[in-house]
């Protein structure tokens, strides 16, 4: 899988998230390693969700993992907290805001 193919798929996964209850600014950067290596960010701002293939310097948290791990998390097949415990996901930055990633992922499954 190329980065472009991976990014298109993961962007679709994130844009399905319901962010109507997110009242604060959230910005995450994802550093993808291995196959489909690349960087992108997800930002919740003013009731809208943005997913763009760029580095984001004003981020709240940064996640580093493989494309496979992130897709499992986005599809709800791997809990992000378990992924950190298993050392499949590295998290840097504001841990409180990083934990909100799970609620974003969970919100799209409730639709």
């Amino acid at each position: 899988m190329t980065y472009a193919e991976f990014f298109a798929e993961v962007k679709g996964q994130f844009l399905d998230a319901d962010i109507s209850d997110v009242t604060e600014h959230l910005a995450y950067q994802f550093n993808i390693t291995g196959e489909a290596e690349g960087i992108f960010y997800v930002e919740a701002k003013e009731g809208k969700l943005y997913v763009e293939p760029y580095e984001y310097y004003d981020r709240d948290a940064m996640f580093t993992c493989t494309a496979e791990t992130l897709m499992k998390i986005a599809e709800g097949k791997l809990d992000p907290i378990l992924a950190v415990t298993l050392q499949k996901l590295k998290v840097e930055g504001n841990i409180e805001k990083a934990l909100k990633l799970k609620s974003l992922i969970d919100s799209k499954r409730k639709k």
Side-chain angles (χ1 to χ4, degrees), residues 2 9 30 33-34 53 58-59 85 88 106-107:
T2 67
E9 192 171 331
F30 292 86
T33 60
D58 191 23
R59 60 190 172 248
T85 304
K88 292 180 178 254
D106 289 345
S107 75

Side-chain angles (χ1 to χ4, degrees), residues 6-35:
F6 166 73
F7 178 72
E9 192 171 331
V10 81
K11 182 175 183 173
Q13 292 278 347
F14 275 108
L15 289 178
D16 282 344
D18 177 9
I19 65 161
S20 59
D21 63 342
V22 177
T23 56
E24 63 190 311
H25 176 261
L26 291 177
Y28 302 131
Q29 178 173 309
F30 292 86
N31 298 332
I32 305 305
T33 60
E35 184 183 0

Side-chain angles (χ1 to χ4, degrees), residues 47-109:
K48 293 186 179 175
L49 192 66
Y50 302 90
V51 182
E52 298 297 334
Y54 308 111
E55 193 161 352
Y56 194 86
Y57 294 101
D58 191 23
R59 60 190 172 248
D60 297 308
M62 183 167 58
F63 301 94
T64 303
C65 63
T66 65
E68 178 184 11
T69 296
L70 185 56
M71 285 311 297
K72 285 181 180 177
I73 291 169
E75 293 167 354
K77 295 177 181 174
L78 177 63
D79 183 271
I81 296 166
L82 178 60
V84 170
T85 304
L86 296 173
Q87 298 182 350
K88 292 180 178 254
L89 177 65
K90 181 180 175 188
V91 181
E92 297 176 46
N94 183 322
I95 298 302
E96 183 180 324
K97 287 193 174 188
L99 288 169
K100 294 180 189 279
L101 174 66
K102 183 169 173 23
S103 63
L104 284 180
I105 292 166
D106 289 345
S107 75
K108 71 183 182 62
R109 283 197 297 273

